């Protein structure tokens, strides 16, 4: 080996040592930088002459475990989804409060029943009457406040989706920009130059931030460019970025609902526009986003919080109907003897029916000897027809909507057509007769449920409209704009006619004595011991096995359910955080900067640098000696 070869080899070693020490310095400086991946030098041997080999710096390696990175992104989406759900459900739980706590819906309801107990024993006491009205007002205010809280959370979810979409669009543009800056590595392999390595770190950080917003899948090509898809396989970004749009709504209330039909939806949808005018896809309608913040916000806005509102609305509706609805049994029509006599049936007083009120009919089919239950619901808006069977909570009845907006002859035609001749209807707008058709069916029972007017306080019946829908009677009306029950908890008020005349809490007729306890006892019984069937929309029970119980037991059921859901969501979030922390630790171990290792490496580099410098010094001395010979 010549001295020139030795000098060149030592020089290459010094250059490699300098580059390596610079890289160690960069690693140490960025030890706490989020997203920074530890870098190492990619060194290769370059043979020179017959005896020696130079060291050449081919590039920089990122010490990245791509398998852990992919797992980390998946769990980042899951943890983000779980944490957001847990946070919102904790807020919902704070609205409901703990069972038995003061200032909750349950305590307000118990205060009302306590006041009613006092009135039922001292009906002539004016103070007891006012106490009942005050307690009823407090209960309605509690329901109003809880509704406002739930709708505020839904509005926040709508805003959260909008902000997340804006953030996602910015991230997609940044990823596409970096993809286009990456050039093929002329030396091949995984190594690259320092500036490109920094770009890759930055891009990976953007992809990880995107995974917080939605579930994603990432593929990488030979030049380190990535293509990002949703978890369901829809491409978000490659060399070009798709654009996400969201038609956010400014106001969210109980009647504001999302629909997959854009013309019917009152809430925003996330729509992906493919680059270059390649069409669009509604990610919300297709359920393409299944995890991350956007999925959590969407589920909370359209399902979780809607169910919470349904619980309050159904409680408010049952609370109102329990006192204002009166079921009147039909009067039997007895057939005279003889084969040509009038078929037997029932006469029904339908003069008090309002939209949403129901005619109940039970008959036995002559051919099968099976009993059928029919609920004929008054409808004043024909656009809602036909009605589904879940309009009532009874899983055994068939619901038929009858349009009362036209003439009564039209009503009779609809009734007769709906029953297909099994029974026949006749009569007037105030009195309806339903008669057997002996060849087909036998009527077992018939009744009609009517809702009292808000001013019908002294009609000789204990029923009364203690609670109203912003001053109007609640009858369960169904309209094209939405059912009356939707958002009722936010509109429930105490009947102003009772506030103006508290004596009507007792005086249900013109001759009612001041101390008569009939009406107070009726109200107390309906609120305390009467049982009702609650629809599956509340999330308590199911369509086939609805929850049956008192108002208090129903309230306790959904309050406890909210608490259980909040606890389950917190446990899930805590579990996701443990998994995420474990993966982050693994990622840090495999790809992060270990200060002890870097310092040990630095010492090794210092020794190598000194050794290369010593070789150069020796070569220099040998050159001097050689020159002295001449």
């Amino acid at each position: 080996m010549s001295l020139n070869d030795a000098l060149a080899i030592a020089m290459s070693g010094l250059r490699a040592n300098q580059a390596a020490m610079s890289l160690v310095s960069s690693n140490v400086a960025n030890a706490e930088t989020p997203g920074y991946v530890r870098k190492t030098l990619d060194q290769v041997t370059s043979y020179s002459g017959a005896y020696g080999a130079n060291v050449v710096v081919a590039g920089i390696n990122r010490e990245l475990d791509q398998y852990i990175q992919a797992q980390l992104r998946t769990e980042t989406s899951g943890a983000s989804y779980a944490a957001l759900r847990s946070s919102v459900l904790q807020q919902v739980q704070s609205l409901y409060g703990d069972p038995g706590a003061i200032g909750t819906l349950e305590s307000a309801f118990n205060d009302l029943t306590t006041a009613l107990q006092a009135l039922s024993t001292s009906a002539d006491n004016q103070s007891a009457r006012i106490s009942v009205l005050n307690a009823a007002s407090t209960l309605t205010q509690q329901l109003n406040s809880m509704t406002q809280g739930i709708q505020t959370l839904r509005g926040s979810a709508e805003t959260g989706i909008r902000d997340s979409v804006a953030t996602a669009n910015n991230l997609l543009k940044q990823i596409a920009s970096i993809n286009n800056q990456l050039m093929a590595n002329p030396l091949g392999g995984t190594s690259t130059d320092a500036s490109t390595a920094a770009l890759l770190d930055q891009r990976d950080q953007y992809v990880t931030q995107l995974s917080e917003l939605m579930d994603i899948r990432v593929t990488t090509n030979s030049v380190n460019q990535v293509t990002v898809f949703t978890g369901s396989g829809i491409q978000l970004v490659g060399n070009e970025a798709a654009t996400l749009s969201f038609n956010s709504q400014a106001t969210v209330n109980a009647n504001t609902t999302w629909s997959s039909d854009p013309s019917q939806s009152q809430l925003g949808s996330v729509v992906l526009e493919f680059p270059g005018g390649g069409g669009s896809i509604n990610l919300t309608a297709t359920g393409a986003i299944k995890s991350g913040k956007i999925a959590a916000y969407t589920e909370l806005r359209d399902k979780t919080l809607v169910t919470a509102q349904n619980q309050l609305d159904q409680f408010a509706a049952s609370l109102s109907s329990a006192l204002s609805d009166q079921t009147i049994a039909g009067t039997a029509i007895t057939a005279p003897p003889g084969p040509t006599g009038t078929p037997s049936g029932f006469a029904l007083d339908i003069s008090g029916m309002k939209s949403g009120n129901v005619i109940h009919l039970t008959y036995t089919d002559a051919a099968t000897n099976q009993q059928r239950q029919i609920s004929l619901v008054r409808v004043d808006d024909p656009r809602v027809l036909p009605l589904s069977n879940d309009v009532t909570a009874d899983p055994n009845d068939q619901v038929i909507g009858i349009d009362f907006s036209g003439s009564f002859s039209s009503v009779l035609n609809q009734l007769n057509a709906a029953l297909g001749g099994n029974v026949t209807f006749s009569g007037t707008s105030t009195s309806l007769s339903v008669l057997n058709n002996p060849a087909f069916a036998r009527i077992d029972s018939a009744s009609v449920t009517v809702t009292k007017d808000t001013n019908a306080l002294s009609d000789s019946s204990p029923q009364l409209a203690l609670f109203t829908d912003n001053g109007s009677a609640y009858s369960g009306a169904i309209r094209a704009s939405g059912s009356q029950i939707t958002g009722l908890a936010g509109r429930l008020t105490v009947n102003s006619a009772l506030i103006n005349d508290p004596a009507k809490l007792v005086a249900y007729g013109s001759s009612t004595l001041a101390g008569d306890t009939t009406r107070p006892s009726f109200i107390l019984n309906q609120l305390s011991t009467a049982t009702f069937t609650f629809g599956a929309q509340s999330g308590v029970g199911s369509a086939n096995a609805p929850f049956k119980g008192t108002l208090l037991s129903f309230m306790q059921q959904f309050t406890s359910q909210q608490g259980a859901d909040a606890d389950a969501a917190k446990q899930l979030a805590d579990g996701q955080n443990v998994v995420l922390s474990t993966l982050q630790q693994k990622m840090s171990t495999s790809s992060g900067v270990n200060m002890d290792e870097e310092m040990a490496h630095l010492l090794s580099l210092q020794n190598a640098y000194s050794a290369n410098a010593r070789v150069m010094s020796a070569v220099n001395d040998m050159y001097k000696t050689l020159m002295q010979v001449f």
Side-chain angles (χ1 to χ4, degrees), residues 195-488:
S195 60
T196 301
L199 282 176
L200 295 176
D201 280 358
Q202 190 176 25
R203 188 198 59 197
D204 285 351
Q205 187 74 351
Y206 291 145
V207 174
T208 299
Q209 291 173 18
L210 183 64
S211 72
E212 294 180 10
L213 304 177
M214 63 182 76
D215 52 314
I216 58 174
R217 181 166 53 86
V218 182
T219 61
T220 307
N221 64 15
S222 60
V223 292
N224 276 326
Q225 293 174 328
V226 297
T227 303
V228 183
F229 303 86
T230 65
S232 56
I234 300 171
Q235 184 170 325
L236 295 169
V237 61
N239 288 333
E240 291 183 287
T243 301
L244 301 178
S245 63
F246 182 72
N247 52 328
S248 177
Q249 303 300 304
T251 303
V252 178
N253 55 51
N255 289 290
T256 310
T257 56
W258 179 85
S259 171
S260 57
D261 182 353
S263 64
Q264 300 294 323
S265 184
Q266 300 162 305
L267 292 171
S269 295
V270 180
V271 177
L272 183 144
E273 301 283 345
F274 292 104
S280 64
I281 182 171
N282 190 322
L283 300 182
T284 304
T286 57
I289 303 176
K290 303 182 185 301
S291 191
K293 285 186 178 180
I294 294 178
Y297 277 131
T298 303
E299 181 180 320
L300 289 164
R301 183 196 68 177
D302 299 338
K303 295 180 181 178
T304 307
L305 295 174
V306 170
T307 298
Q309 184 64 56
N310 286 341
Q311 292 169 346
L312 296 182
D313 290 342
Q314 194 153 130
F315 176 77
S318 300
L319 183 69
S320 179
S321 297
L323 305 180
S324 63
D325 280 6
Q326 182 180 17
T327 298
I328 305 171
T331 302
I333 300 175
T334 304
T340 60
T342 303
S344 63
F346 293 88
L348 297 171
D349 179 2
I350 61 171
S351 59
M353 282 189 75
K354 295 179 174 59
S355 179
N357 286 165
V358 183
I359 296 172
H360 308 278
L361 184 65
T362 302
Y363 69 87
T364 300
D365 191 295
T368 63
N369 203 35
Q370 290 184 338
Q371 196 174 69
R372 297 185 61 193
Q373 298 179 30
I374 308 294
S375 294
L376 302 165
V377 181
R378 172 170 174 162
V379 171
D380 290 350
D381 187 346
R383 292 174 295 176
V384 304
L385 296 175
L387 299 181
S388 63
N389 280 341
D390 62 4
V391 167
T392 67
D394 188 347
N396 301 313
D397 68 341
Q398 177 186 356
V399 176
I400 302 173
I402 304 298
D403 176 20
F404 274 67
S405 63
S407 65
F408 192 71
S409 61
S410 170
V411 172
L412 289 176
N413 290 337
Q414 293 175 68
L415 288 169
N416 285 311
L419 274 297
N422 287 337
V423 299
T424 58
F425 293 88
S426 61
T428 67
S429 59
T430 58
S431 179
L432 180 69
S433 296
V434 52
L435 305 175
N436 288 336
N437 188 337
F440 298 100
R442 180 189 72 251
I443 301 174
D444 300 314
S445 65
S447 63
V448 59
T449 297
V450 298
T451 300
K452 293 287 186 178
D453 289 326
T454 56
N455 57 0
L457 301 176
S458 301
D459 61 355
S460 300
S461 64
Q463 288 83 6
L464 81 166
L466 174 58
F467 299 101
T468 69
D469 181 356
N470 265 345
S472 301
Y474 171 75
S475 61
I478 304 170
R479 314 178 186 92
S481 58
S483 299
Q484 187 181 10
I485 191 175
T486 304
L488 177 65

Side-chain angles (χ1 to χ4, degrees), residues 44-66:
V44 296
T45 300
S46 174
Y47 291 96
S48 173
Y51 301 102
N54 296 329
V55 58
V56 177
V57 177
I60 294 173
N61 285 324
R62 299 170 70 231
E63 298 301 317
L64 179 64
D65 189 322
Q66 294 183 338

